[in-house]
Amino acid sequence: MATTKKVRVAIVGLGFGAEFIPIYQAHPNAEMYALCRRNRAELDKCGDRYRIAKRYTDYNELLKDPDVDAVHINSPIPDHAPQSLAALRAGKHVACTVPMGTSVEECRQLVEAQRQTGKVYMMMETVVYSREYLFARELYDKGELGRIQFLRGSHQQDMDGWPDYWPGLPPMWYATHCVSPCLAILSQPGKPAHAESVVCHGSGRIREDLIKRYNSPFAIETATFKVRGSDVVAEVTRSLFDTARQYRESFDVTGSKKSFEWQQVENEEPVIHTKSSAAKPIPEPEIPKRVKVPDYARLLPEPIRRFTQPAAIQDADHLSFLQGGGHGGSHPHLAHNFLMAVLGEQPAFPDAATSANWTMVGICAHESAMRGGARVAIPEL
Ligand SMILES: NC(=O)c1ccc[n+]([C@@H]2O[C@H](COP(=O)([O-])OP(=O)(O)OC[C@H]3O[C@@H](n4cnc5c(N)ncnc54)[C@H](O)[C@@H]3O)[C@@H](O)[C@H]2O)c1
């Protein structure tokens, strides 16, 4: 029988973070207990809208509240690691939006803190719960793709005009959306695939005023990484500034029997290429076929199934737009997996060590680009 226990959740950061409030409110194993945001007026606006009484403007005060079981952090990137560490050390379970941190040292400290405290740490990576990823995974598990021969991820976004921690950010410091599906699809339960080393090249140059902040000159960073214990190599590409490209989060799996290629232009359906053979020849123009990706709401408890559709979050949240259009229906899957991990029903995916590996691929890739494409080993934590 499904557990009836409830986890008392606090959400920290109410931009993107607010999109998760109605999901926790509807989840049978969550109590959407507290909100935290520094701006009092905005905090109250959100608290009133969702009728959440416990409100904190000071994160450290929130951590002192013994009734908080778990924090879900959606603050700006530089705060992710320090806030996650403080929460683990305060005895809270932690869900944190991507990336885990911005240095290898931060990732190391978080993995150690998670092990020492025994609390759950989960990086809330949307792509590995998107319907496109879940579909590719299903094809692979059924044997339809055959042997995986190559993987490719790309995440391109124009971040002009975004909050002050973005301008000039090294593209690979936020690479988990393109790295994670490549490693997740090679993972088996209890046996996560981790990257071993990375080679990255920086290309082009962004505006001089943007370069100064992080001393990162490149418009595009593109990397290949080796997967430990596997003959598969993956390639990932990132851009954030001064690059003409519609938003793209994409993931391709090249298989020996079939290959899956995610979206190239928004709202275009993905494509499956099928290998022609002498026994079953396929005329060249018929090798690629567009495919409608199904929804995976059926994997979720009934009360949160509707949240795989962006419109449901918009209705519940009165939002005029959702960041990333709801990220492939991933939000309720993320909240559900985190709650189940806290309740000991299933492991967090990604757990702390895997979150660190996915994050460090990008950190080490940027280091490689800054060193002219030198191979950088990714520390094993
Ligand atoms: N697909 C994804 O996984 C995805 C999508 C969107 C955003 N994100 C991540 O979510 C995070 C937030 O994104 P956003 O666009 O909402 O950013 P934002 O800068 O608009 O919002 C940050 C929020 O955090 C709050 N905040 C800042 N410092 C705080 C502190 N010390 N204590 C409590 N609250 C604090 C702010 O008041 C604000 O509500 C970013 O790190 C971003 O990388 C991930």
Side-chain angles (χ1 to χ4, degrees):
M1 203 183 86
T3 176
T4 53
K5 286 189 198 144
K6 282 185 190 271
V7 179
R8 273 165 307 202
V9 178
I11 293 194
V12 182
L14 300 175
F16 173 54
E19 296 183 18
F20 288 86
I21 297 173
I23 300 174
Y24 286 118
Q25 285 185 320
H27 196 293
N29 298 106
E31 181 185 336
M32 186 54 258
Y33 170 71
L35 299 176
C36 175
R37 179 174 181 154
R38 286 172 307 177
N39 181 312
R40 181 87 235 178
E42 292 296 328
L43 173 68
D44 284 339
K45 212 155 90 183
C46 193
D48 291 350
R49 189 198 303 157
Y50 291 104
R51 300 192 180 141
I52 297 168
K54 271 282 169 196
R55 302 171 195 179
Y56 291 93
T57 53
D58 183 338
Y59 180 65
N60 293 317
E61 289 303 312
L62 166 82
L63 293 185
K64 288 184 199 154
D65 184 336
D67 290 333
V68 172
D69 298 321
V71 292
H72 181 167
I73 298 167
N74 293 278
S75 53
I77 292 172
D79 297 320
H80 293 180
Q83 288 187 341
S84 300
L85 262 182
L88 287 172
R89 288 174 181 157
K92 312 296 184 194
H93 300 282
V94 175
C96 182
T97 187
V98 302
M100 183 186 223
T102 53
S103 69
V104 166
E105 189 45 36
E106 284 182 340
C107 294
R108 189 189 305 279
Q109 284 181 21
L110 276 163
V111 171
E112 280 169 10
Q114 187 279 321
R115 287 185 185 143
Q116 279 161 8
T117 60
K119 295 289 164 186
V120 170
Y121 173 92
M122 175 173 164
M123 183 174 74
M124 300 295 262
E125 174 52 64
T126 45
V127 173
V128 296
Y129 290 93
S130 67
R131 54 182 79 86
E132 289 82 1
Y133 170 78
L134 294 174
F135 179 63
R137 174 87 227 188
E138 192 174 35
L139 291 177
Y140 180 49
D141 287 346
K142 283 184 183 159
E144 289 193 31
L145 303 180
R147 192 182 195 291
I148 291 183
Q149 306 287 31
F150 182 63
L151 296 156
R152 173 181 282 148
S154 109
H155 178 198
Q156 297 193 267
Q157 186 167 12
D158 185 349
M159 298 307 285
D160 266 338
W162 283 69
D164 69 336
Y165 51 95
W166 285 104
L169 191 84
M172 280 290 172
W173 280 13
Y174 193 111
T176 63
H177 292 336
C178 48
V179 168
S180 60
C182 302
L183 289 168
I185 201 163
L186 293 172
S187 300
Q188 295 302 332
K191 273 180 70 184
H194 285 175
E196 183 178 80
S197 65
V198 61
V199 171
C200 181
H201 292 283
S203 182
R205 192 169 175 88
I206 55 174
R207 280 161 283 165
E208 297 307 311
D209 57 310
L210 289 178
I211 293 174
K212 282 185 225 141
R213 175 94 180 259
Y214 296 93
N215 189 30
S216 171
F218 307 119
I220 298 212
E221 289 183 327
T222 186
T224 46
F225 60 90
K226 270 178 67 62
V227 182
R228 185 166 285 123
S230 162
D231 52 18
V232 179
V233 165
E235 175 198 302
V236 288
T237 301
R238 285 291 284 120
S239 65
L240 295 170
F241 296 97
D242 293 349
T243 303
R245 184 55 170 93
Q246 186 195 38
Y247 185 86
R248 169 168 69 179
E249 253 175 39
S250 83
F251 166 57
D252 303 342
V253 196
T254 306
S256 57
K257 294 186 189 165
K258 283 185 180 172
S259 298
F260 171 82
E261 295 185 1
W262 192 354
Q263 150 206 321
Q264 296 304 307
V265 171
E266 201 151 2
N267 298 325
E268 272 186 12
E269 283 166 346
V271 175
I272 290 181
H273 296 258
T274 304
K275 171 102 176 61
S276 179
S277 65
K280 225 175 156 191
I282 303 174
E284 195 67 23
E286 290 173 30
I287 287 176
K289 291 257 188 283
R290 291 217 178 264
V291 58
K292 187 147 187 61
V293 170
D295 194 62
Y296 288 85
R298 61 182 157 79
L299 303 178
L300 295 166
E302 198 284 322
I304 63 163
R305 285 185 188 162
R306 64 196 169 100
F307 293 111
T308 62
Q309 301 303 322
I313 303 181
Q314 269 168 314
D315 286 351
D317 213 354
H318 316 292
L319 292 170
S320 56
F321 102 121
L322 279 182
Q323 294 201 14
H327 303 104
S330 60
H331 300 179
H333 291 279
L334 280 165
H336 180 62
N337 182 274
F338 176 59
L339 293 167
M340 291 303 104
V342 169
L343 293 170
E345 297 285 312
Q346 61 185 60
F349 186 73
D351 64 8
T354 298
S355 304
N357 188 261
W358 293 357
T359 301
M360 288 190 302
V361 171
I363 294 166
C364 296
H366 179 61
E367 184 189 331
S368 167
M370 295 303 286
R371 288 170 45 202
R375 179 181 296 273
V376 176
I378 297 159
E380 247 186 297
L381 301 182

